[in-house]
Amino acid sequence: MENEMEFRPTKAVIDLQAIQQNVRNLTAYLPRETAVIAVVKADGYGHGEVEVAKAAIKAGASMVAVATPDEAVRLKEGGVTSDVLVMGPSPVLFAKKAIDLGIHVTVTDAEWIRQATRVVDEFVKPLNVHVKIDTGMGRIGVRTADALQEVVQVLNSSDVVKLVGAFTHFACADEDDSLTTKRQFDKFMELVENFPERPSIVHAANSAATFLYPDYALDAVRFGISLYGIAPSAYVGSRLPFTLQRAFCLETELAYVKQVEKGNRISYGGTYETLEDEWIGTIPIGYADGLKRGLRGQEVLIAGERMPIVGTICMDQCMVKLPREMHVGEKVTLIGKQADEEITMEEWAERLGTIPYEIAVTISKRVQRVYGTTNG
Ligand SMILES: *Cc1c(COP(=O)(O)O)cnc(C)c1O
């Protein structure tokens, strides 16, 4: 992957080989008849949508999925040749573009299909659709057998819309709650019976369900967070059937180093005061890069050692308390490994009271993505 020369040393290093290894390990674990749908929404969970999609397909994924129609268009325009599914809602007006580019869309009601059929005035190629069934997530989808019957009828009478898939989404698969997930699965199987013919791709499992409920793998799994080597939750993380390879590393360099006498204040608000003569390093990364202000106190790695961010995190820079004098240009790892130490997205997530998914998508566009190996 070509990267334009950038001068700021702050970058995210993405290991596409780790992603490919996760796909291969997943394929070996899944039943032979189950395909892998690589979920690359939100710019591939911050890893780069086009790069991840291509790498995942090369490693054996049969299809990729995104959340929005615009994400799907970007993948196609970026040269992704596999099938692409938009899992979220699409406006009716997207139907034409979806046909042109061969994008699969999600339908959730009969009226959408009626309107789309009208929008697509002449038949060139079919509009491939997956019917979303809401079995307990409460987000989008057909909720009853009656509503599904109506969808089936409209599908039968439309000459442009082609039924390809049916899917549902689990709300609690990452928790210790197999009963809720079983209820959702059973309801899904029952509703799928309403199709006169079983759609060719019936799918339900996200990463968590893929790991915990192999019996629910069906025709395909929609593998998102764990494609990137991250467990969906600590609960699932302690029950993984194979080791995940992390693919994301956030690094920068020491930009400025100074010794500060005891009793001096650091950064906005002067809320950090040196308790002794201290070495303070400045790194060129701040909250505009996704290093949220709430991460004050979080440690970073330099020379294989942990040291804390001190004072308020600024928009573009922040300060680190160094254990001794260190040199400008020294590598600083904010997420990733150095020697025997590792800082994970989970560690940031815990500090911020959120989940690693949110960390992955919070590292902003200003941080250049570089494709290479993240080991060391
Ligand atoms: C995001 C998403 C997934 C992937 O979930 P992970 O927990 O990241 O594996 C699957 N299906 C739908 C509908 C989604 O929105």
Side-chain angles (χ1 to χ4, degrees):
M1 199 70 230
E2 290 278 313
N3 283 290
E4 271 175 54
M5 173 75 180
E6 288 200 12
F7 295 100
R8 192 178 187 223
T10 302
K11 57 185 190 269
V13 183
I14 314 293
D15 187 350
L16 294 174
Q17 284 173 18
I19 289 172
Q20 293 186 308
Q21 194 57 49
N22 293 331
V23 173
R24 284 192 288 266
N25 290 344
L26 173 63
T27 306
Y29 158 80
L30 286 172
R32 190 180 292 275
E33 66 277 12
T34 304
V36 174
I37 300 175
V39 180
V40 300
K41 61 190 179 187
D43 197 23
Y45 292 50
H47 292 63
E49 55 199 2
V50 170
E51 290 82 357
V52 172
K54 287 179 177 173
I57 293 293
K58 238 188 202 162
S62 65
M63 188 170 183
V64 296
V66 290
T68 76
D70 304 275
E71 289 176 333
V73 170
R74 281 203 300 274
L75 289 182
K76 286 295 183 184
E77 289 176 348
V80 173
T81 52
S82 72
D83 284 336
V84 176
L85 167 66
V86 178
M87 300 182 293
S90 291
V92 168
L93 285 174
F94 181 62
K96 269 188 159 168
K97 187 92 177 170
I99 292 174
D100 278 355
L101 295 177
I103 292 167
H104 296 210
V105 298
T106 292
V107 302
T108 54
D109 59 88
E111 186 53 24
W112 192 98
I113 303 168
R114 279 189 209 105
Q115 290 183 20
T117 304
R118 262 178 254 132
V119 165
V120 182
D121 35 20
E122 56 179 323
F123 181 88
V124 201
K125 286 182 284 178
L127 172 62
N128 295 311
V129 303
H130 293 231
V131 174
K132 179 70 180 283
I133 300 178
D134 180 6
T135 56
M137 178 68 185
R139 193 163 62 180
I140 56 170
V142 181
R143 294 170 63 90
T144 63
D146 285 351
L148 193 55
Q149 281 296 343
E150 197 192 344
V151 167
V152 167
Q153 272 175 20
V154 179
L155 278 172
N156 282 340
S157 62
S158 168
D159 44 7
V160 294
V161 178
K162 180 180 162 204
L163 175 67
V164 177
F167 72 112
T168 193
H169 190 51
F170 295 125
C172 305
D174 61 343
E175 297 167 31
D176 183 7
D177 186 1
S178 58
L179 192 60
T180 300
T181 305
K182 182 181 189 305
R183 284 202 186 109
Q184 280 198 258
F185 182 77
D186 291 346
K187 183 169 183 197
F188 180 51
M189 290 292 97
E190 194 187 308
L191 285 170
V192 163
E193 290 298 313
N194 285 282
F195 292 105
E197 254 174 79
R198 185 187 157 106
S200 50
I201 321 172
V202 177
H203 47 113
N206 53 5
S207 299
T210 299
F211 294 136
L212 299 186
Y213 310 105
D215 291 351
Y216 304 164
L218 299 171
D219 301 317
V221 296
R222 298 186 308 277
F223 203 60
I225 192 78
S226 297
L227 182 63
Y228 309 94
I230 302 161
S233 65
Y235 178 75
V236 179
S238 62
R239 289 163 178 78
L240 295 175
F242 56 87
T243 309
L244 294 172
Q245 314 281 327
R246 290 176 187 277
F248 190 96
C249 191
L250 179 63
E251 39 181 68
T252 187
E253 290 174 3
L254 277 176
Y256 195 81
V257 175
K258 60 183 177 285
Q259 193 172 33
V260 177
E261 283 173 6
K262 180 181 173 180
N264 276 275
R265 292 172 191 273
I266 299 290
S267 196
Y268 289 122
T271 53
Y272 179 77
E273 188 178 320
T274 50
L275 298 169
E276 55 193 333
D277 291 356
E278 292 179 21
W279 285 97
I280 298 288
T282 301
I283 54 176
I285 181 167
Y287 62 78
D289 300 298
L291 185 70
K292 298 222 168 205
R293 291 173 88 249
L295 285 166
R296 173 194 182 135
Q298 168 64 43
E299 291 170 323
V300 304
L301 302 177
I302 308 178
E305 297 165 56
R306 283 177 173 261
M307 47 204 80
I309 295 170
V310 294
T312 305
I313 294 172
C314 311
M315 188 184 282
D316 322 295
Q317 307 179 68
C318 68
M319 276 60 83
V320 175
K321 178 181 170 171
L322 310 177
R324 58 186 174 274
E325 180 175 11
M326 291 182 138
H327 298 289
V328 166
E330 184 105 36
K331 180 167 166 177
V332 180
T333 299
L334 291 107
I335 293 171
K337 272 187 199 163
Q338 273 194 15
D340 298 334
E341 289 288 352
E342 180 171 19
I343 294 171
T344 61
M345 290 193 189
E346 288 88 331
E347 183 176 332
W348 279 32
E350 199 155 314
R351 186 173 284 274
L352 291 168
T354 183
I355 55 174
Y357 292 73
E358 195 179 353
I359 304 300
V361 301
T362 295
I363 308 303
S364 75
K365 285 267 183 287
R366 188 167 76 178
V367 177
Q368 183 191 196
R369 267 63 174 176
V370 177
Y371 294 87
T373 173
T374 54
N375 296 319

